[in-house]
Amino acid sequence: MQKLVKRPFTIGLALLTHNRPAVLDRTLKSYKEKKFFDFFDEKIILLQENLPETRNVAEKYELEIYSTEENIGIGPGNNYLIDKLNTDYFIICQDDFVLIEDNFRSQ
């Protein structure tokens, strides 16, 4: 992975999903196409109720995967992700946060 700019801090991307492999794939595909992943030093995902179909999607995009056997909800899921990140700053996205604009350019 090539970073867009050198910076004195790290940024993490945390994604939360719950059994929506097609939605997740669409979102992650948009991140890859727009080179959104390049902004982040760490990229993690929490699979709630850990279905194989959803895990297969996450693995395609080389995310660090965490999972739960049950749906723990949005708030607890986000807190779980925050605890797992090892970056100075972070962005939390849901599995349906698709990038639709081409506004991501290096400065």
Side-chain angles (χ1 to χ4, degrees):
M1 173 177 71
Q2 188 174 22
K3 296 288 178 246
L4 297 176
V5 293
K6 292 189 183 222
R7 54 186 184 258
F9 54 86
T10 56
I11 304 174
L13 173 65
L15 292 146
L16 184 65
T17 188
H18 178 251
N19 296 341
R20 300 193 311 172
V23 171
L24 179 62
D25 194 41
R26 181 173 173 234
T27 297
L28 296 178
K29 181 179 178 186
S30 78
Y31 292 5
K32 184 175 181 178
E33 288 174 352
K34 307 284 189 208
K35 300 188 185 307
F36 188 57
F37 285 132
D38 293 347
F39 286 92
F40 301 98
D41 302 291
E42 189 176 345
K43 300 171 291 291
I44 65 173
I45 188 167
L46 176 60
L47 310 177
Q48 297 189 83
E49 292 187 22
N50 195 16
L51 294 181
E53 297 87 358
T54 310
R55 178 173 284 276
N56 291 340
V57 170
E59 288 174 346
K60 284 190 336 188
Y61 295 94
E62 300 178 5
L63 302 170
E64 185 175 347
I65 300 170
Y66 295 93
S67 62
T68 60
E69 294 303 315
E70 60 186 32
N71 180 0
I72 62 173
I74 294 172
N78 288 340
N79 289 336
Y80 181 96
L81 287 164
I82 291 166
D83 288 342
K84 295 297 182 185
L85 280 169
N86 296 304
T87 57
D88 299 311
Y89 300 97
F90 57 85
I91 294 175
I92 298 175
C93 296
Q94 303 303 309
D95 59 5
D96 59 355
F97 186 72
V98 177
L99 300 178
I100 56 174
E101 298 291 332
D102 192 18
N103 293 329
F104 298 99
R105 292 184 283 282
S106 126
Q107 299 295 324

